[in-house]
Amino acid sequence: MLKIGDKKLINAWAFYDWANSVYSLVISTAVFPIYYAGLTASEGFANAEGKITFLGTLWTPTTLYNYALAFSFLVVALISPMLSGIADYAGNKKKFLKGFCLLGSISVMCLFFFTGKETLWVAIVFTILASIGFWGSIVFYNAYLPEVAHPEQQDNVSAKGFILGYSGSILLLLLCLVLIETSVFGFFDKKFGSQLSFVLVGLWWLGFAQITYARLPDEEKTELPKDNYFLKGIKEINKVARELFAYRELKIFLISFFLLSIGVQTIILMAGIFGTILGLETLNLIMTILLVQFVGILGAFTFSRLSNKIGNIKTLKITILIWGLVCFIGFNLTKDTPNIEMYFYILGGLIGLVMGAIQSLARSTYSKLLPETEDHASYFSFFDVTEKIALVVGMITFGALNSILSIQSSVLALAVFFLAAFISISRIKKTKYVH
């Protein structure tokens, strides 16, 4: 059995980012949102006002997509604390990781069958299930960080995961782009190329996850009475909740993480649709998203090293300020902006610089703040639930403001959350738990 700090164990853990990040890029950010926006805006799909019908109600396509994702985040927020408590009690985080990964990867492949108005339900149902699978697996994946790396390693190890994730997702997105553009050679049209991309994502995610499973430790404890699992799970999560809220720094960090996650995750999820509304061509959008990934590798590496010199909190504050600048630039972009493609590329470069940086640092900072405990899944469930609730708030806020005012006003509203996060995180005095 590999010990904590072992390079082989660290590499195996980080490789799950390589496996799952293709979902984040191709399904959440790049190909599927653009495919969905294009298909729902096509002739015969939307009415004269640009609205579509789902469950007997008229929706703008963007709002329906926002609310479907928000629902999935809410489901994860509701079930992950209970499941995490069970996982810590029974010692079976790996089983939950595998289960959610399987759900997510199969659901992504099912998006292949979304082809038009009659199959809109496929897009919505499997978008929800794929999101639950992805974010549910991340709860248990993140919980392994304190078990694979020592505190002094965790910034770099967390960044390593994101760097691998960006690298793998770039490779697959390039392959998907080739599939989408094969209409030039007459093999099949762009629509079918996009559909094949969804299948490839599911196979990549599930296939490469096996490398992680092979080396993560099996933690199964002695046989437990089945009727005690849920009761013990509730007790486990209640115990962790009491402990967590007794630590000032952890409480403040979770508040800060909630506020910054509203902005970060909403921008990541809505970037493709935002570009589509601004009138950018699909190729420009995908090239921008590729730029984000390339710069993201540099950003995650640079800021993890910077945190080693000036500390996590100061580094996080720098990234939050840059995110605020992203919101300001986005607010000022419209369809009529001259050289809109150039400004969107600049926006993508800034997002890439801080996207992986803020996510990897948030994960490692939280891990450093934890007290000595074996209940890592339960503690990280609070971290992930905070992010999911933030996503629900972010998507609903973004969708509502977009429906009432404009998408630019939605982007500007996110800057308010970044400002609040900056103020909140400034109150944290230390990033290492002292016993």
Side-chain angles (χ1 to χ4, degrees):
M1 181 176 170
L2 299 175
K3 295 183 179 180
I4 184 171
D6 189 294
K7 287 185 178 180
K8 290 182 179 179
L9 178 60
I10 288 171
N11 289 337
W13 175 84
F15 213 74
Y16 188 69
D17 263 309
W18 171 283
N20 73 56
S21 289
V22 294
Y23 166 84
S24 298
L25 180 58
V26 179
I27 304 300
S28 293
T29 306
V31 179
F32 183 74
I34 297 170
Y35 175 81
Y36 170 86
L39 202 57
T40 54
S42 61
E43 186 176 350
F45 204 120
N47 63 17
E49 298 175 346
K51 293 188 176 182
I52 58 178
T53 303
F54 184 71
L55 296 179
T57 304
L58 285 174
W59 309 79
T60 61
T62 302
T63 301
L64 176 60
Y65 183 70
N66 286 355
Y67 288 174
L69 287 174
F71 176 74
S72 71
F73 304 145
L74 186 59
V75 170
V76 174
L78 290 173
I79 66 174
S80 61
M82 168 66 72
L83 297 181
S84 299
I86 295 171
D88 277 332
Y89 174 66
N92 57 0
K93 290 196 294 292
K94 190 191 286 190
K95 284 188 175 179
F96 283 104
L97 174 61
K98 288 181 176 180
F100 279 109
C101 173
L102 184 63
L103 171 65
S105 57
I106 291 176
S107 298
V108 164
M109 288 187 272
C110 287
L111 292 174
F112 174 88
F113 299 103
F114 172 44
T115 57
K117 188 175 183 178
E118 296 75 17
T119 51
L120 176 61
W121 68 271
V122 172
I124 302 305
V125 169
F126 288 106
T127 289
I128 291 170
L129 292 177
S131 177
I132 291 171
F134 174 77
W135 291 106
S137 73
I138 292 297
V139 173
F140 299 97
Y141 169 59
N142 286 343
Y144 272 104
L145 179 57
E147 298 174 24
V148 302
H150 297 292
E152 64 274 13
Q153 297 175 302
Q154 288 171 8
D155 286 346
N156 294 343
V157 170
S158 183
K160 183 174 189 174
F162 277 96
I163 289 169
L164 280 172
Y166 289 140
S167 302
S169 56
I170 286 171
L171 288 176
L172 189 61
L173 181 57
L174 287 172
L175 178 57
C176 292
L177 188 56
V178 170
L179 286 173
I180 293 167
E181 295 300 321
T182 46
S183 58
V184 175
F185 305 103
F187 292 120
F188 41 72
D189 59 21
K190 290 185 178 183
K191 181 179 175 182
F192 189 70
S194 297
Q195 292 171 262
L196 285 179
S197 298
F198 310 148
V199 177
L200 277 178
V201 169
L203 292 174
W204 178 290
W205 182 4
L206 186 60
F208 282 113
Q210 306 309 311
I211 295 173
T212 300
Y213 301 157
R215 285 188 167 164
L216 284 184
D218 291 306
E219 333 151 81
E220 288 290 337
K221 297 181 180 178
T222 55
E223 188 175 344
L224 303 168
K226 292 183 179 180
D227 58 347
N228 277 347
Y229 267 63
F230 287 101
L231 178 61
K232 292 292 184 180
I234 292 171
K235 289 182 178 179
E236 194 76 29
I237 206 70
N238 284 340
K239 176 176 76 74
V240 169
R242 288 194 300 271
E243 292 174 359
L244 189 151
F245 290 107
Y247 302 126
R248 176 184 179 275
E249 311 298 337
L250 271 176
K251 282 192 297 184
I252 296 174
F253 180 78
L254 284 178
I255 293 169
S256 308
F257 181 61
F258 169 76
L259 294 167
L260 68 86
S261 292
I262 291 175
V264 171
Q265 295 297 340
T266 304
I267 289 173
I268 291 172
L269 290 170
M270 298 309 299
I273 288 177
F274 180 55
T276 302
I277 291 173
L278 290 179
L280 273 76
E281 297 292 332
T282 299
L283 187 58
N284 292 127
L285 287 173
I286 293 181
M287 292 304 293
T288 303
I289 292 166
L290 278 171
L291 173 65
V292 169
Q293 304 302 302
F294 278 115
V295 178
I297 295 172
L298 175 64
F301 177 83
T302 301
F303 280 97
S304 70
R305 267 54 185 180
L306 182 62
S307 69
N308 291 336
K309 294 184 177 180
I310 67 173
N312 290 53
I313 300 305
K314 288 181 180 178
T315 308
L316 280 169
K317 285 163 72 176
I318 292 171
T319 64
I320 292 171
L321 289 174
I322 296 174
W323 277 107
L325 178 60
V326 165
C327 293
F328 179 75
I329 295 173
F331 171 71
N332 285 283
L333 294 182
T334 68
K335 282 185 176 181
D336 301 321
T337 302
N339 300 315
I340 182 68
E341 293 85 0
M342 182 190 71
Y343 283 107
F344 207 74
Y345 287 145
I346 293 171
L347 197 64
L350 285 173
I351 290 173
L353 184 65
V354 290
M355 183 172 69
I358 200 167
Q359 290 176 303
S360 65
L361 279 172
R363 180 166 66 185
S364 60
T365 302
Y366 183 75
S367 184
K368 288 180 179 182
L369 287 168
L370 295 181
E372 287 187 358
T373 179
E374 294 182 356
D375 298 328
H376 293 130
S378 296
Y379 268 100
F380 266 95
S381 74
F382 282 96
F383 177 80
D384 288 280
V385 165
T386 298
E387 186 175 42
K388 301 311 158 293
I389 295 174
L391 280 162
V392 173
V393 173
M395 297 302 280
I396 290 175
T397 300
F398 196 94
L401 288 176
N402 181 39
S403 296
I404 298 168
L405 299 172
S406 67
I407 198 164
Q408 284 80 10
S409 63
S410 300
V411 173
L412 185 63
L414 298 179
V416 177
F417 292 108
F418 283 120
L419 175 62
F422 184 89
I423 294 170
S424 176
I425 207 166
S426 297
R427 298 174 58 211
I428 297 179
K429 299 174 182 178
K430 60 184 180 180
T431 58
K432 190 172 182 181
Y433 176 72
V434 180
H435 302 283

